[in-house]
Amino acid sequence: MRFLLAGAAICLAAPAWCAGVAADAVELGGFDVVIMGEIHDNPEHHVNQAAWLTQMSPVAVVFEMLTPTQAGIAQDVQADGPAAIARATGWAESGWPDFTLYAPVFRALGAASIFGADVARGDLRAAMADGAASVLGDDAAAFGLTAPLDVDEQARREKLQADAHCGALPAAMLPTMIEAQRLRDGMLARAVIQALDTVGGPVAVITGNGHARTDWGVPALLKTARPELRVLSIGQIEDGPPGTDTSFDVPIATSAAVRDDPCAVFR
């Protein structure tokens, strides 16, 4: 059994979507790692993450949005509150959505240690040119990133990248985008293991839904590197569950954020 919901509902290891899962119904006890997916610009998703952190009381929290250096800076000013973290880390210049969206998450950290897994632009370019394994070095094999993707997975991932970029990317660029994604997965997984090895668990991960996927995201890499870990993946899906997607252990249906047409920039 992978997880329980409050009350009588039970989901098994490879379910179809658990219909009607409420954000406040997820039980987080008994896991070494809880990966809390999000759509970055959806305020509701960060409010949910803050509630889960409060319930879980993790020893460490890994942020996709902070580099390891920024995480150390955030740790130094953590006691001064979220606004101090935003100023000290230079969040406004980072390219991530406005810090006010993430403030509830940082407010809910308590005394948890902060770890970062954001990837430098130079490393992303290197991964796109030479593959994720070239950047991760010796850690790549432990996460299974030295092996090429099988044909079906490659095709699925290329289609997701094409759709995410509104069909505007040249076909030749899609494989390079996948390598960038694999590098981000590897950096997140490496930060989780670093947190477990240095301060212990449980560890929470704040990241986009794509990295929370159990089939090829951070959970899959952790399963390869540390199969003994008990990992829970939560995905937050706008406007309800579409069909029988099994990309997450716990799919949470949320309302959609109000945003401009994301494809307008490609036109």
Side-chain angles (χ1 to χ4, degrees), residues 63-129:
F63 284 89
E64 180 192 353
M65 305 82 199
L66 296 175
T67 65
T69 298
Q70 287 175 314
I73 293 170
Q75 188 80 62
D76 290 341
V77 300
Q78 184 176 4
D80 297 327
I85 291 175
R87 288 192 300 270
T89 60
W91 184 285
E93 292 76 43
S94 69
W96 290 100
D98 191 274
F99 186 82
T100 56
L101 293 171
Y102 286 87
V105 178
F106 284 96
R107 200 172 291 119
L109 290 181
S113 296
I114 301 173
F115 288 78
D118 198 5
V119 182
R121 291 183 182 274
D123 287 339
L124 281 176
R125 287 194 292 268
M128 294 172 74

Side-chain angles (χ1 to χ4, degrees), residues 22-90:
D24 61 357
V26 184
E27 294 289 348
L28 303 178
F31 294 98
D32 300 305
V33 182
V34 176
I35 301 172
M36 303 176 181
E38 64 180 50
I39 296 175
H40 300 308
D41 65 348
N42 190 316
E44 182 181 343
H45 292 190
H46 304 301
V47 171
N48 289 340
Q49 289 168 332
W52 295 329
L53 289 174
T54 299
Q55 178 195 149
M56 181 182 173
S57 296
V59 174
V61 180
V62 174
F63 284 89
E64 180 192 353
M65 305 82 199
L66 296 175
T67 65
T69 298
Q70 287 175 314
I73 293 170
Q75 188 80 62
D76 290 341
V77 300
Q78 184 176 4
D80 297 327
I85 291 175
R87 288 192 300 270
T89 60

Side-chain angles (χ1 to χ4, degrees), residues 62-226:
V62 174
F63 284 89
E64 180 192 353
M65 305 82 199
L66 296 175
T67 65
T69 298
Q70 287 175 314
I73 293 170
Q75 188 80 62
D76 290 341
V77 300
Q78 184 176 4
D80 297 327
I85 291 175
R87 288 192 300 270
T89 60
W91 184 285
E93 292 76 43
S94 69
W96 290 100
D98 191 274
F99 186 82
T100 56
L101 293 171
Y102 286 87
V105 178
F106 284 96
R107 200 172 291 119
L109 290 181
S113 296
I114 301 173
F115 288 78
D118 198 5
V119 182
R121 291 183 182 274
D123 287 339
L124 281 176
R125 287 194 292 268
M128 294 172 74
D130 301 315
S134 69
V135 179
L136 281 168
D138 293 342
D139 291 331
F143 294 128
L145 293 175
T146 54
L149 302 177
D150 67 46
V151 174
D152 288 342
E153 181 176 331
Q154 182 75 29
R156 288 169 59 206
R157 293 180 72 152
E158 287 188 15
K159 183 180 186 307
L160 283 173
Q161 286 292 337
D163 292 346
H165 294 86
C166 305
L169 293 182
M173 192 174 181
L174 297 176
T176 71
M177 299 294 290
I178 293 170
E179 287 303 315
Q181 187 84 351
R182 295 181 85 191
L183 176 60
R184 288 190 180 278
D185 287 334
M187 294 290 283
L188 282 159
R190 184 162 70 181
V192 168
I193 290 175
Q194 180 187 7
L196 288 167
D197 289 348
T198 56
V199 298
V203 174
V205 182
I206 304 297
T207 188
N209 281 334
H211 301 299
R213 294 176 63 112
T214 58
D215 47 3
W216 61 57
V218 178
L221 272 58
L222 291 175
K223 184 176 181 180
T224 298
R226 296 281 181 94

Side-chain angles (χ1 to χ4, degrees), residues 17 20-23 44-45 48 235-241 251-255:
W17 282 75
V21 177
E44 182 181 343
H45 292 190
N48 289 340
Q236 300 194 75
I237 314 301
E238 292 182 336
D239 291 332
I252 302 295
T254 76
S255 57

